[in-house]
Amino acid sequence: MVVHIVHGINLGQLGTRQPEIYGNLRLEDQIPILQTWLDAHFGGTELRSFQSDDEGALCAYLAQYDGSESVFLINPGAFTHSSIALRDAVATLTSPIIEVHLSHTYARESFRRASLLAPYTRGTISGLGWMGYRLAIEGLVGEVG
């Protein structure tokens, strides 16, 4: 099984962009930590991370890896609230997917409380920082595996 973590717009700037909201860890810092945890709890499960500020690239990635051997976590960033293309891509997936947000989107600006993707995901984890990613992985791998 492969766990794909898909990060959307501006998430390549984690660690420097608004650390008071998103924390100090960069993607390249966190992914090895998650892989180590995954190896310890669900050995033989591969972790792949993909980030793009291009919604077309995100849609293409999801379509390319959709299938019985994949599960997805997605943090679409601002595309959560604005991308009909990404919504449509998520709606067509056969693989399980959970939406994850580092910040507590429901405690922020009102526009952040609406997700175009949520109706097509297994659930949403919001506001738990990087722990939300680990919990989403555990939920998906435990469910499928």
Side-chain angles (χ1 to χ4, degrees), residues 1-5 34-35 38-39 42-49 61 65 69-71 137 141:
M1 176 181 309
V2 180
V3 176
H4 298 269
I5 301 180
L34 289 171
Q35 182 67 63
L38 188 61
D39 290 343
F42 298 98
T45 302
E46 182 182 348
L47 181 65
R48 295 184 192 166
S49 177
Y61 185 91
Y65 292 105
E69 295 299 314
S70 294
V71 298
I137 292 170
V141 174

Side-chain angles (χ1 to χ4, degrees), residues 59-140:
C59 295
Y61 185 91
L62 292 169
Q64 179 180 357
Y65 292 105
D66 187 27
S68 62
E69 295 299 314
S70 294
V71 298
F72 292 98
L73 279 64
I74 188 166
N75 182 342
F79 289 144
T80 303
H81 327 289
S82 64
S83 177
I84 294 170
L86 191 55
R87 172 215 173 268
D88 290 350
V90 168
T92 65
L93 292 176
T94 59
S95 300
I97 185 167
I98 292 180
E99 184 178 336
V100 180
H101 297 281
L102 292 163
S103 70
H104 185 7
T105 56
Y106 300 99
R108 297 182 63 196
E109 302 92 341
S110 61
F111 72 87
R112 295 188 194 276
R113 297 178 194 147
S115 169
L116 298 176
L117 285 65
Y120 306 101
T121 67
R122 297 283 172 103
T124 301
I125 299 174
S126 172
L128 299 178
W130 285 102
M131 180 61 75
Y133 287 75
R134 188 184 67 79
L135 293 171
I137 292 170
E138 189 170 4
L140 287 173

Side-chain angles (χ1 to χ4, degrees), residues 5-35:
I5 301 180
V6 180
H7 289 96
I9 193 160
N10 296 323
L11 292 168
Q13 299 173 23
L14 288 175
T16 57
R17 177 181 174 242
Q18 296 177 287
E20 68 281 3
I21 295 174
Y22 301 108
N24 295 313
L25 288 175
R26 302 171 304 156
L27 289 177
E28 54 270 19
D29 297 329
Q30 187 59 35
I31 298 304
I33 294 168
L34 289 171
Q35 182 67 63

